[in-house]
Amino acid sequence: MNPELLARKTIRDLTPYQSARRLGGSGDIWLNANESPFVNEFKIQCDRLNRYSTCQPEALIQAYADYARVDKSQVLTSRGADEGIELLVRTFCEPKQDSILYCPPTYGMYSISAETFDVGVKQVPLTADWQLDLPSIAENLDGVKLVFVCSPNNPTGNLIRREDIISLLNMTQDKALVVMDEAYIDFCPEASTVDLLAQFPNLVILRTLSKAFALAGLRCGFTLANAVVIDLLLKVIAPYPVPVPVADIAVQALSPAGLARTKFQVLDLSANRAYLQAGLSMLPGVTVYDGYGNYLLVRFPDGDALFKALWDNGIILRRSPIDNCIRISIGSRDECEKTLAFIRTQLEKIS
Ligand SMILES: *Cc1c(COP(=O)(O)O)cnc(C)c1O
């Protein structure tokens, strides 16, 4: 018998997340997954690998709590922020009954996580200026347990207005959790909503070491929330979710020296982002949207043709669902220069 027929119908019908890795490509400039160009060194110890890890390694939780300025009872660590999304869905949404709500264009994993657990998905698109459509959200809250808001938003790059987030938190009190996806907040820490945790028991914040900390391959993320929410998530998480070497490396990344290095690298990438933004803005017919993360969303006269020309020449970027837009991750200065030069030449050819 074909095992395909044994799979749940939901899974047979599911289109998996089209991650940058899965889409493939070949080339020498990879600016498609919002990874950091920096390669940092860490010490690895093997003397505890015969033992299971602790579920929530104390040193790691304390280090992140100190970095985020919250209490350690408000921190959960997991296999990337993506596992945080999944844990929230599994903990708070009743299958075939409850829903999540999110605001496209945004990150794709909210809907995938909901769909794999037979949880409903409601979409309330962002407004024309990529802000929350609060009246529409208010009308669509029936049966919604989780509202996902990404700021800086991926792929558009903009911040969601703080006063709107506060309105949303008030609107959803006693009804739903508001999950702020702050995967890119280390590039603009002043925009974090972490200070609102004390005031709003329904606020949850997702963080990661994958972007600013240059550790996408480590798979280490965090959920920040009030202790009641964290304790519920701990009932659902696997018994040994954090490999010993992952915790060791993450603690080094969050040490004073590690934090100083990240701060320096964030400044460096912000300078490269400004360089790329200025260079692209000078090209005729090109619109660069203000970006607060380590990526820029850029509109071109013919986005598809340009994307393909770049791809064929070994410059791998990310196509966005928004008309003629391409998302460009901020790489090293050399990668930014080469990408800008190629785009400039390509656009001159067409005009
Ligand atoms: C990269 C990203 C994540 C996932 O982070 P991981 O910790 O690598 O799982 C979550 N949300 C957004 C918006 C992202 O861009």
Side-chain angles (χ1 to χ4, degrees), residues 17-257:
Y17 180 63
Q18 296 296 306
S19 69
R21 275 293 162 279
R22 219 173 231 174
L23 289 168
S26 80
D28 28 48
I29 298 187
W30 292 87
L31 300 178
N32 65 338
N34 294 349
E35 294 154 336
S36 171
F38 294 104
V39 177
N40 299 314
E41 304 231 336
F42 297 93
K43 288 195 199 72
I44 297 182
Q45 277 187 316
C46 296
D47 58 341
R48 281 174 296 132
L49 291 179
N50 59 319
R51 303 290 178 194
Y52 282 112
S53 57
T54 40
C55 179
Q56 295 288 295
E58 170 76 23
L60 177 56
I61 295 296
Q62 188 64 60
Y64 202 82
D66 291 346
Y67 170 66
R69 298 180 194 200
V70 296
D71 186 76
K72 62 184 184 356
S73 66
Q74 297 174 303
V75 181
L76 176 110
T77 184
S78 61
R79 205 169 356 100
D82 282 347
E83 191 182 20
I85 296 168
E86 191 182 293
L87 288 170
L88 285 160
V89 170
R90 288 169 60 202
T91 304
F92 289 95
C93 300
E94 203 68 72
K96 304 195 170 169
Q97 184 178 317
D98 295 335
S99 299
I100 67 155
L101 188 153
Y102 67 96
C103 306
T106 192
Y107 189 52
M109 281 307 293
Y110 316 133
S111 64
I112 302 266
S113 276
E115 284 168 35
T116 55
F117 293 106
D118 281 319
V119 165
V121 168
K122 291 193 186 185
Q123 302 186 3
V124 176
L126 295 172
T127 60
D129 58 349
W130 293 330
Q131 293 295 328
L132 298 177
D133 184 345
L134 289 170
S136 285
I137 293 176
E139 277 171 27
N140 282 283
L141 280 180
D142 264 4
V144 169
K145 290 285 190 68
L146 302 170
V147 179
F148 286 92
V149 176
C150 188
S151 181
N153 187 39
N154 180 5
T156 55
N158 64 295
L159 294 171
I160 303 299
R161 276 193 297 267
R162 185 179 164 92
E163 65 260 36
D164 290 356
I165 296 166
I166 293 173
S167 300
L168 180 64
L169 284 161
N170 281 315
M171 182 198 296
T172 51
Q173 288 244 9
D174 309 317
K175 276 195 210 141
L177 300 182
V178 173
V179 185
M180 293 301 304
D181 187 337
E182 296 191 344
Y184 300 97
I185 207 69
D186 315 281
F187 294 98
C188 50
E190 63 288 348
S192 176
T193 53
V194 72
D195 61 295
L196 298 175
L197 274 179
Q199 210 178 323
F200 292 100
N202 61 328
L203 173 60
V204 178
I205 298 168
L206 297 170
R207 299 283 192 87
T208 181
L209 298 186
S210 296
K211 309 288 165 47
F213 284 87
L215 287 170
L218 190 67
R219 309 309 302 129
C220 185
F222 301 90
T223 303
L224 310 179
N226 289 291
V228 183
V229 171
I230 298 295
D231 288 344
L232 286 162
L233 297 175
L234 283 171
K235 287 179 152 184
V236 177
I237 200 167
Y240 312 109
V242 188
V244 171
V246 169
D248 288 349
I249 290 171
V251 166
Q252 293 169 54
L254 293 163
S255 70

Side-chain angles (χ1 to χ4, degrees), residues 263-294:
K263 203 171 193 178
F264 177 80
Q265 293 174 352
V266 163
L267 285 170
D268 196 90
L269 291 175
S270 300
N272 291 351
R273 183 182 66 207
Y275 163 84
L276 195 61
Q277 173 157 26
L280 289 169
S281 300
M282 286 162 59
L283 304 177
V286 175
T287 308
V288 189
Y289 298 99
D290 281 335
Y292 291 83
N294 62 336

